[in-house]
Amino acid sequence: MSLPLEGLSAIVTGAGRGLGRAEALELARLGASVVVNDYGQPGRDGSGTASSGPADDVVAEIVAAGGTAVAHTGDVADFAQARALVALAADTFGKLDILVNNAGILRDRMVFSMTEDEWDSVIRVHLKGHFNTTHFASVHWRERSKAAGGPVYGRIVNTSSEAFLAGSAGQPNYAAAKGGIVGLTTSTALALAKYGVTANAICPRARTRMTEDVFAGFGVPDAGALDSLSPEHVAPLVGYLASPAADRVNGQLLVVHGGMVAVVERPCVSAQFDTGNDVFTFKELDAVLTPYYAERSPGQTFAATEVLGLKRR
């Protein structure tokens, strides 16, 4: 019996540790050949001998389990290096079928304390990084589709966050980047559907090196028990979205953690007001909007804070 992703090739960015590592291992377990991307060069051990880096370590795990993988240590936020990443997958495996964008960093601070560099660096790695790889993957699929005279196989799984949905007060840069990724995902889903490509976004909650401070207050599981915030809860959904089984799943946003997957519906219009004239006046807006908001709770904003309470039933 063939595996769900057998014969397919994948890129997973930020895959040296944490979520990306779990996702790369899962895709390989399901049969995909994987390019494991993680920014940085191999280091040196205490004796001065060159040692492998995180990407190489994950490749070694995949190969040891009988899979196929290669490492890429470039910066996905660099346009040229993102091009090289997609080219590596196509040249090594003959084509690219799956792109999982996971690479990211945190520079948490309140908006009034945040520096320009803290803002720029997070937007660059998360949002620009997602765009760069998506751009070159989409060029690859469009060219293949034109050559084939019809749709090809393509899957994009992007990584957003509940910080965007709930409005994390201490993460304005991160929340903005993750919201931008959702916009990028829905736009890409519409643009690439005719080529056979789907694009979806997930909001994972996981305890990783990047989020250890964020989830410091969450309980640690007993010895031998699986952490409800383990990346292993997230990876199966990525494997599913990357598979032929998810052919009809496109332009979607899903929250995933602790044995639970929640499908997030698109925003709805809660009220509409029309001017009785050619254009609204201040007085007319005051007459309709002020009483409307007077009846709403001050805490009822566009932020969907209820997603933070989601848990397995």
Side-chain angles (χ1 to χ4, degrees), residues 38 52 136 179 219 224 226:
D38 198 80
S52 62
F136 289 112
L226 181 63

Side-chain angles (χ1 to χ4, degrees), residues 92-234:
T92 304
F93 304 125
K95 59 184 172 58
L96 172 66
D97 301 295
I98 301 160
L99 171 63
V100 179
N101 283 310
N102 171 75
I105 61 172
L106 288 180
R107 299 290 185 270
D108 293 352
R109 203 176 297 275
M110 300 296 285
V111 68
F112 44 78
S113 303
M114 183 162 289
T115 67
E116 182 180 14
D117 180 67
E118 288 166 341
W119 173 271
D120 289 347
S121 60
V122 168
I123 298 297
R124 176 183 180 274
V125 175
H126 287 275
L127 186 52
K128 187 182 178 186
H130 272 61
F131 162 74
N132 285 349
T133 53
T134 298
H135 168 74
F136 289 112
S138 67
V139 169
H140 171 78
W141 287 318
R142 184 169 179 262
E143 291 176 349
R144 281 178 51 202
S145 178
K146 285 186 174 182
V152 296
Y153 189 97
R155 297 285 188 269
I156 300 173
V157 182
N158 288 332
T159 307
S160 183
S161 171
E162 292 168 291
F164 144 68
L165 287 169
S168 180
Q171 298 180 303
N173 48 3
Y174 185 70
K178 292 306 189 180
I181 286 168
V182 173
L184 172 65
T185 302
T186 54
S187 175
T188 301
L190 292 174
L192 301 187
K194 65 180 179 180
Y195 301 116
V197 179
T198 66
N200 295 286
I202 63 171
C203 294
R205 189 187 300 179
R207 197 193 311 270
T208 66
R209 188 181 65 157
M210 189 179 85
T211 62
E212 59 186 356
D213 291 337
V214 176
F215 296 122
F218 285 68
V220 178
D222 297 330
L226 181 63
D227 188 350
S228 63
L229 294 176
S230 168
E232 280 68 30
H233 286 296
V234 177

Side-chain angles (χ1 to χ4, degrees), residues 31-56:
S33 299
V34 184
V35 178
V36 178
N37 163 265
D38 198 80
Y39 181 48
Q41 299 299 322
R44 292 187 176 275
D45 61 24
S47 65
T49 303
S51 60
S52 62
D56 298 298

